[in-house]
Amino acid sequence: PGKKVLIVYAHQEPKSFNGSLLKIAVEELTKQGCSVTVSDLYAMQFEPRATRNDIVGHLHNSEAFNYGVETWEAYKRGGLSKDLVEEQKKVQEADLLIFQFPLFWFSMPAILKGWMDRVLVQGFAYDLSKAYDGGLLQDKLSLFSFTTGGSKEKYAIRGDIRYLLWPMQHGIMHFCGVKVLEPHICYAPENVSEEKRKEMLTAWTQRLKTLWKEEPIDCSPEWYFK
């Protein structure tokens, strides 16, 4: 109780299955006494592109633009654009980050990847000497909850789905020091019966009830590639 949760949500349609998963998470976690914030990226018309517009005022080096260097310098002097500052504040306050999205091309939708690219800047989320277990966002938990187009069997034949979690969970979250809970995967909700969909939603509700008792995964290559 009293925990703060940020749900970063990337789907265009509130009536979608992802929309239902979001609604359940907000209701269930609120019921537990958590304070829940949602960044609904499409509704916010969140800008996914990392550009010069992310820096307010002067550039550190106006001769040659280097996004990583410029956002790091801007972060240090409080010169990042308003939308980034707002998202960083939500991240800073959260005990748990839930990412809710449909899997696109074995990855997250561009709008969510853009959120990662722009919000998790150097100085805020990591520093070169402070990454992975030493990352700057320690003491936070994260959970990737997503839907797929393909069935579980299809993924099993074509390579373990854990492989594609490596860049998302390990390369972004763990890199920033965030602990990672088991992903929540709803396989092919569009291709199953209404009854099966209801079962998936119930399973998510049940999981959320005991979420705070869960242990994070072992963030090692073995977890992903064994």
Side-chain angles (χ1 to χ4, degrees), residues 125-140:
Y126 69 95
D127 233 321
L128 294 183
S129 60
K130 299 187 178 83
Y132 293 111
D133 294 338
L136 299 178
L137 300 180
Q138 286 170 54
D139 306 323
K140 296 185 191 301

Side-chain angles (χ1 to χ4, degrees), residues 13-216:
E13 175 51 68
K15 295 195 289 283
S16 65
F17 194 78
N18 274 273
S20 301
L21 292 164
L22 170 70
K23 193 161 166 280
I24 285 171
V26 172
E27 284 170 8
E28 181 53 45
L29 292 165
T30 303
K31 206 188 290 177
Q32 291 176 19
C34 301
S35 85
V36 183
T37 304
V38 178
S39 283
D40 182 340
L41 300 182
Y42 285 102
M44 289 156 69
Q45 297 195 324
F46 187 80
E47 168 60 79
R49 294 171 300 181
T51 69
R52 161 76 178 84
N53 298 338
D54 294 349
I55 293 100
V56 179
H58 71 273
L59 288 177
H60 179 67
N61 174 3
S62 53
E63 298 299 307
F65 184 72
N66 178 321
Y67 186 81
V69 170
E70 293 298 342
T71 48
W72 185 26
E73 293 295 335
Y75 176 75
K76 288 190 284 192
R77 64 177 168 83
L80 286 173
S81 60
K82 187 166 160 283
D83 59 339
L84 294 194
V85 174
E86 281 170 11
E87 293 307 299
Q88 288 176 346
K89 188 167 184 286
K90 294 177 198 173
V91 171
Q92 198 65 64
E93 289 175 356
D95 298 296
L96 167 66
L97 308 168
I98 296 178
F99 300 99
Q100 182 63 61
F101 59 97
L103 198 68
F104 285 3
W105 291 117
F106 274 31
S107 187
M108 59 187 94
I111 201 165
L112 178 54
K113 177 60 165 61
W115 185 93
M116 304 280 184
D117 292 349
R118 295 180 63 227
V119 174
L120 304 175
V121 304
Q122 187 171 352
F124 169 68
Y126 69 95
D127 233 321
L128 294 183
S129 60
K130 299 187 178 83
Y132 293 111
D133 294 338
L136 299 178
L137 300 180
Q138 286 170 54
D139 306 323
K140 296 185 191 301
L141 291 169
S142 62
L143 193 165
F144 286 82
S145 170
F146 59 93
T147 58
T148 68
S151 66
K152 194 169 186 175
E153 294 70 33
K154 283 224 172 84
Y155 276 96
I157 296 164
R158 293 176 186 163
D160 198 311
I161 199 159
R162 285 182 170 201
Y163 298 166
L164 56 98
L165 292 163
W166 172 257
M168 296 191 266
Q169 293 186 164
H170 182 75
I172 303 175
M173 285 298 114
H174 185 201
F175 187 82
C176 297
V178 181
K179 293 182 176 63
V180 181
L181 295 173
E182 283 277 350
H184 197 86
I185 308 170
C186 291
Y187 288 96
E190 283 182 16
N191 304 333
V192 298
S193 66
E194 188 57 38
E195 194 181 334
K196 189 85 182 97
R197 274 198 290 274
K198 282 196 179 115
E199 279 172 27
M200 287 180 183
L201 295 175
T202 306
W204 180 225
T205 310
Q206 289 308 117
R207 177 168 181 197
L208 288 163
K209 286 185 195 304
T210 56
L211 197 64
W212 301 104
K213 295 194 178 89
E214 289 187 19
E215 284 297 314

